[in-house]
Amino acid sequence: MQAWSPLARGRIFSDELLISLAKKYNVSLAQICIRFCIQEGVMPLVKASSIERMRENFACFDFEIDSEDVSRIENMPPLGWGGEHPDRTRLK
């Protein structure tokens, strides 16, 4: 399984739960989201605009989110739809 736009096109950056978890683990919000995907067995497809962001994204292997916090992320409200709806016919 793959996660397209695992950073929700930037909507994660105002989510209070994710902000608090990033502070708790002393990592970026992006790293929390990427690490969550990996721990859930989902391959995140992340776009990086610089070498620094690529390094930051890769550093998600330097920590693990504990099971209680994984559960909190799993149960958070959706942040909205970020792409084409898979059940709708694509317009050309």
Side-chain angles (χ1 to χ4, degrees):
M1 191 178 304
Q2 298 173 333
W4 289 67
S5 192
L7 306 182
R9 298 186 185 229
R11 288 188 297 274
I12 64 158
F13 297 107
S14 61
D15 185 83
E16 294 298 322
L17 171 61
L18 297 177
I19 291 168
S20 69
L21 292 176
K23 288 178 184 176
K24 175 181 176 178
Y25 291 94
N26 198 31
V27 297
S28 72
L29 275 96
Q31 288 172 306
I32 288 290
C33 293
I34 294 167
R35 183 64 200 187
F36 172 75
C37 289
I38 290 167
Q39 283 185 222
E40 293 295 293
V42 176
M43 179 178 47
L45 301 174
V46 182
K47 178 181 172 184
S49 58
S50 68
I51 295 293
E52 292 79 27
R53 294 271 191 223
M54 286 182 212
R55 286 186 182 122
E56 178 183 296
N57 292 345
F58 192 69
C60 69
F61 295 101
D62 296 345
F63 72 101
E64 186 171 322
I65 303 170
D66 69 38
S67 59
E68 181 180 318
D69 291 333
V70 166
S71 179
R72 291 172 66 199
I73 296 170
E74 289 174 337
N75 290 296
M76 64 187 279
L79 292 173
W81 187 257
E84 291 185 31
H85 195 288
D87 296 333
R88 293 194 182 142
T89 303
R90 181 180 236 181
L91 300 175
K92 296 180 182 185

